[in-house]
Amino acid sequence: MKKHLTILAVLSLLFVGTVSAHDGSQLWLQGSAPSVTSTLEIANAELNQSWKGAAPVLKLNKSMKALPDGSFSITIQAGTPVIQSASEVGLLYGSYHLLRLQQTGANVTDTAFVERPSYNIRILNHWDNLNGTIERGYAGRSIFWRNSADQMRRNADGEVNEEDLLHPKDAPEIPSVDRLRDYARANASIGINAYVPDNVNASPKVLTTEYLLEVKKMADIMRPYGMKTYLAINFASPMVIGGLDTADPLDKNVQKWWTAKVKEIYKLIPDFGGFLVKANSEGQPGPNDFGRTHAEGANMLAKALKPFGGIVMWRAFVYSPSDPDRAKQAYLEFQPLDGQFLDNVIIQIKNGPIDFQPREAYSALFGAMPKTREMAEWQITQEYLGHSNHIAYLAPMWTEFIQQIKEIAHCPINNALSPARSLTAISAVSNVGNSPSWCGNVMAQSNWYAFGRLAWNDELSACQIADEWARLTLFPDRDDAATTKALANVKCLMLRSREAIVDYMMPLGLHHQFAWGHHYGPEPYCDIPGARPDWMPSYYAKADAEGLGFNRSSTGSNATGQYPTDYAKVLDNPETCPYDLLLWFHHVPWGKTIQHRCGDRVARESLWNALCHHYQHGLDEARAMQRDWDRCQGQIDADVFADIQRRLRIQTRDAQWWKDGCLLYFQTFSGLPFPDDMESAVHDLDKLRAIKLGITNYECPSEELLDSVR
Ligand code: GCV
């Protein structure tokens, strides 16, 4: 019996390791990662294995040094491509770009252009814990960390076995070093040049010598692909692992500790990028604990990093439990510190003032600190967008944000707007784990891809990126009529997905109506006695007999006043406030007539009717996404097709749950009937109120679990 089990286990390992060409495990790439290790060799090997045509010429050209790092030019004359750059990494980017052009059917016979990145640092944040779990991760366990350093096998010299470090014990299907190389390659192919492998809720342990030695191994794998390593650090590290009795940034011993620690890191990783810090937020320690400001904390670290060229990415995600408007707090704490941060500090700001909601106003901090470097943080992992069960293509959300930042905030967060600034960056919280599809499902890879492409060129459109990604990932090497049709259907699905989610979850500017803790599914009725008020959906919806929405206008919390004057005026008046942010900024009576757009329909109707129509439209769109996908049957890898089809079924059932849960609950306040052209609810409010999924913040609920509770 035992023997049989062993044979079975070996067979299943072999099976898992054998993947068909387009099952998504290769992401958007062709061929496999070259076994060579220098940047130039990699570029040549990639071209050798995939370029069809006259051999491309790679030329280092120092005269291109004036362009941002990584810039390259491509000239193709009579079919022979010449790629030039001031750096080897630029040549690697150029090679991937050339291959992308070929694989997406673009002009590769006669062309000439220069590509330069919109942001200098294009960085993924991984919320991976050292025990291998991933906070808000829905794609398995960490590719960087295993269960515990204590459980690692060691050699006679006490060094941790590389396989054990880099690969969780319980998922042996893909060799871990290869997985990290594939990760590095995937990032380089879309221009991502940096990563933070540990959670911003950081363990001080990551700075112990034992862990730093392991980080060095990762850095060595990443380097040839132009990927710089950064670490998220715990501000109290000098106390927890340094034996000091304070972490006060003005204390000499604390400063000495950080200086020595930084030296140790650079000895191991000479091109180390710097630190990412979550301080005085959600229970994390920080300078405020010692009566110091964020600037004093950040500058202390920045001074230690400066001699080595390192930087500090200091997060502005702060809010206290007692403030009457969470949306205002980052601005209130950070804006007065403008001009006090050293020039190797950059403030990392989430796109919106609350927390990665399906739609938010942009964070008013952008553009409000002209003497401070600022960068945006997006979330690729779908904490608030149905985890890996829902199909949500996020480029439309990010391009909407970029447009607002450029046109309204006039914020110099990228080179195009402020060439004098050398420190420009953009980040996103990754959805990568050790699942075979990397991101929990194949469609979720499109958001990793879209982040990279937008970080490189923030003028690309969501549609163009969807087109590229789908061709490369779902339809490589195919160019027939059936493919063209299927591609159109996939793009249609992708491009409608974000707005569909807004509509079936939280339309018209509603926000944070999620279930407690894990944030999957609706819980506008959530009631946890004694809980932080700003973690409760009722704090945000403010539903009452009169109406719905958070009054952030000048008659309320005056969050509108934090925006540039002209825009503040537009937001402040419910008649001019964009309808899709109406309930974000205003408490609107149920019967008030509003003008809004729902799908293709522009309507004037009461808030209640408008709300009902948006929820209905969201559900209809989820069904339409199912139909878009079903039309692709036979044109997409069968396993990928079946997996996404199953997820779209879950998504549609969830959309129904959201519609019923929110509308039935808000109806207890409005007392109004659903409009005649609406479908009736299929759930009972009391039963929905009783749903508790009981999942952790590290997992996506299974279909079976969801079916068993509703
Ligand atoms: C890493 C939200 C998430 C937390 C996350 C935090 C942050 O609160 O729910 O899981 O913590 O944002 O961005 O720091």
Side-chain angles (χ1 to χ4, degrees):
M1 178 65 176
K2 210 168 162 198
K3 200 171 153 200
H4 282 138
L5 284 179
T6 316
I7 292 171
L8 259 180
V10 170
L11 280 176
S12 68
L13 279 182
L14 285 176
F15 178 73
V16 175
T18 315
V19 289
S20 74
H22 307 310
D23 65 352
S25 59
Q26 281 193 295
L27 298 162
W28 45 86
L29 299 159
Q30 304 241 313
S32 48
S35 50
V36 289
T37 51
S38 92
T39 307
L40 217 47
E41 284 173 336
I42 295 169
N44 277 309
E46 291 283 18
L47 291 168
N48 280 343
Q49 76 170 331
S50 301
W51 175 254
K52 300 172 192 131
V57 179
L58 300 182
K59 260 195 198 164
L60 274 176
N61 178 348
K62 295 292 167 202
S63 73
M64 292 174 76
K65 264 211 151 122
L67 298 177
D69 269 4
S71 301
F72 59 87
S73 69
I74 295 184
T75 312
I76 309 178
Q77 269 174 357
T80 302
V82 180
I83 306 174
Q84 302 192 58
S85 173
S87 67
E88 293 193 358
V89 167
L91 294 178
L92 182 64
Y93 292 156
S95 305
Y96 285 123
H97 192 90
L98 185 67
L99 291 174
R100 179 165 47 241
L101 289 180
Q102 181 178 65
Q103 285 153 17
T104 53
N107 171 17
V108 283
T109 45
D110 257 308
T111 185
F113 58 86
V114 178
E115 279 275 327
R116 67 198 90 205
S118 297
Y119 305 86
N120 293 342
I121 301 172
R122 305 171 293 279
I123 185 166
L124 283 177
N125 291 187
H126 293 266
W127 288 353
D128 292 19
N129 298 313
L130 304 187
N131 67 4
T133 57
I134 304 178
E135 183 157 348
R136 313 303 178 183
Y138 314 110
R141 294 172 67 87
S142 173
I143 61 168
F144 301 104
W145 314 104
R146 53 166 295 126
N147 296 332
S148 135
D150 306 326
Q151 290 170 27
M152 291 174 186
R153 286 172 290 167
R154 287 165 194 281
N155 65 18
D157 297 322
E159 282 169 355
V160 173
N161 177 301
E162 190 168 69
E163 286 300 306
D164 281 4
L165 165 81
L166 298 170
H167 194 61
K169 214 185 205 166
D170 58 354
E173 73 273 19
I174 299 165
S176 55
V177 175
D178 289 352
R179 183 74 158 178
L180 280 191
R181 196 168 296 124
D182 288 347
Y183 165 83
R185 177 185 184 229
N187 282 315
S189 76
I190 47 176
I192 294 174
N193 66 356
Y195 72 107
V196 186
D198 61 321
N199 193 350
V200 287
N201 290 327
S203 166
K205 268 209 282 192
V206 79
L207 290 180
T208 58
T209 305
E210 179 180 36
Y211 272 89
L212 289 177
L213 286 168
E214 308 313 326
V215 177
K216 172 191 162 39
K217 288 183 193 161
M218 293 176 199
D220 290 346
I221 296 171
M222 301 292 163
R223 190 170 296 111
Y225 288 90
M227 290 281 286
K228 249 191 193 187
T229 303
Y230 292 69
L231 284 176
I233 58 102
N234 183 301
F235 200 77
S237 298
M239 298 169 76
V240 186
I241 59 165
L244 301 186
D245 58 7
T246 180
D248 181 351
L250 299 197
D251 182 284
K252 288 271 170 298
N253 288 328
V254 171
Q255 293 168 1
K256 261 197 200 152
W257 188 87
W258 282 109
T259 306
K261 190 46 82 182
V262 165
K263 250 194 200 158
E264 182 188 350
I265 297 175
Y266 276 92
K267 216 167 159 199
L268 293 169
I269 309 167
D271 57 349
F272 181 68
F275 295 143
L276 168 64
V277 192
K278 172 175 178 178
N280 294 117
S281 166
E282 298 185 332
Q284 292 301 307
N288 298 169
D289 302 346
F290 310 95
R292 312 298 179 194
T293 66
H294 285 285
E296 286 168 322
N299 290 346
M300 183 261 302
L301 296 173
K303 272 186 201 148
L305 290 158
K306 182 86 177 172
F308 304 95
I311 65 158
V312 176
M313 290 168 290
W314 191 270
R315 296 175 91 224
F317 178 65
V318 291
Y319 60 105
S320 76
S322 52
D323 198 279
D325 187 0
R326 171 173 168 182
K328 289 176 66 181
Q329 293 187 60
Y331 185 102
L332 291 177
E333 267 189 57
F334 277 82
Q335 201 284 329
L337 300 175
D338 188 25
Q340 294 183 29
F341 292 95
L342 292 177
D343 64 4
N344 60 331
V345 176
I346 185 162
I347 306 300
Q348 182 166 314
I349 309 165
K350 290 188 180 184
N351 55 285
I354 300 286
D355 194 14
F356 300 134
Q357 302 298 289
R359 171 166 278 114
E360 292 197 39
Y362 79 81
S363 165
L365 257 185
F366 289 108
M369 300 178 73
K371 292 184 237 131
T372 305
R373 285 153 178 79
E374 296 186 328
M375 64 187 279
E377 176 180 324
W378 296 338
Q379 193 178 45
I380 302 174
T381 193
Q382 292 170 225
E383 173 180 356
Y384 295 104
L385 289 107
H387 299 183
S388 53
N389 279 344
H390 291 203
I391 308 308
Y393 173 56
L394 300 179
M397 168 153 76
W398 299 332
T399 49
E400 178 179 291
F401 164 79
I402 290 168
Q403 195 188 352
Q404 288 173 340
I405 290 302
K406 288 185 178 178
E407 290 175 9
I408 305 170
H410 299 296
C411 181
I413 61 169
N414 79 355
N415 292 334
L417 291 166
S418 178
R421 282 177 188 245
S422 54
L423 180 50
T424 62
I426 191 153
S427 65
V429 182
S430 164
N431 60 355
V432 164
N434 70 352
S435 85
S437 69
W438 287 88
C439 302
N441 71 67
V442 170
M443 295 298 284
Q445 297 172 3
S446 63
N447 294 322
W448 178 8
Y449 183 88
F451 167 67
R453 295 293 285 131
L454 284 170
W456 180 271
N457 178 358
D458 70 4
E459 288 178 356
L460 291 176
S461 74
C463 182
Q464 179 177 343
I465 297 170
D467 185 87
E468 273 180 20
W469 175 82
R471 281 177 196 272
L472 295 169
T473 309
L474 301 175
F475 309 106
D477 296 327
R478 296 215 353 231
D479 191 17
D480 50 281
T483 308
T484 309
K485 242 176 151 181
L487 176 67
N489 280 310
V490 170
K491 275 163 54 185
C492 196
L493 182 162
M494 290 172 79
L495 292 167
R496 71 185 350 151
S497 61
R498 186 272 181 135
E499 208 57 37
I501 290 185
V502 171
D503 273 344
Y504 66 67
M505 285 187 180
M506 288 167 294
L508 297 172
L510 270 178
H511 48 292
H512 225 310
Q513 299 305 295
F514 297 96
W516 175 262
H518 52 73
H519 300 156
Y520 190 95
E523 207 174 355
Y525 24 73
C526 175
D527 182 17
I528 302 204
R532 271 180 78 147
D534 56 354
W535 286 356
M536 302 291 259
S538 53
Y539 171 98
Y540 300 97
K542 304 249 183 284
D544 58 22
E546 186 212 352
L548 185 65
F550 198 129
N551 184 0
R552 296 195 169 102
S553 74
S554 48
T555 63
S557 77
N558 200 25
T560 50
Q562 292 182 336
Y563 288 90
T565 320
D566 288 351
Y567 190 51
K569 270 193 205 143
V570 171
L571 296 177
D572 205 48
N573 180 348
E575 302 299 330
T576 54
C577 180
Y579 72 87
D580 52 11
L581 291 175
L582 189 62
L583 303 179
W584 185 282
F585 286 110
H586 296 279
H587 188 69
V588 181
W590 295 112
K592 183 171 168 55
T593 302
I594 64 164
Q595 175 151 333
H596 68 110
R597 171 184 282 276
C598 189
D600 292 337
R601 197 174 67 97
V602 176
R604 279 183 67 76
E605 57 189 339
S606 69
L607 170 69
W608 172 249
N609 281 5
L611 194 70
C612 289
H613 283 133
H614 275 277
Y615 275 108
Q616 179 68 54
H617 186 251
L619 175 58
D620 292 343
E621 284 290 280
R623 291 169 180 153
M625 286 164 63
Q626 286 187 286
R627 289 195 297 274
D628 289 336
W629 190 254
D630 285 347
R631 290 188 192 110
C632 302
Q633 186 150 24
Q635 301 304 319
I636 287 173
D637 175 279
D639 291 341
V640 172
F641 179 81
D643 181 58
I644 300 299
Q645 192 178 47
R646 187 179 67 80
R647 287 174 202 273
L648 286 164
R649 279 200 304 265
I650 300 175
Q651 183 165 3
T652 303
R653 288 201 292 272
D654 284 354
Q656 180 85 57
W657 175 23
W658 270 96
K659 167 182 170 285
D660 290 354
C662 292
L663 285 181
L664 291 174
Y665 173 70
F666 293 138
Q667 195 174 39
T668 65
F669 297 93
S670 78
L672 295 166
F674 292 160
D676 289 346
D677 54 353
M678 281 266 308
E679 285 172 20
S680 305
V682 302
H683 292 103
D684 172 82
L685 181 59
D686 287 336
K687 285 192 186 146
L688 293 183
R689 279 182 196 268
I691 291 178
K692 295 278 173 266
L693 291 180
I695 53 171
T696 64
N697 296 348
Y698 316 126
E699 62 189 312
C700 181
S702 67
E703 189 173 14
E704 293 71 35
L705 172 65
L706 289 167
D707 287 348
S708 71
V709 294
R710 46 154 221 243

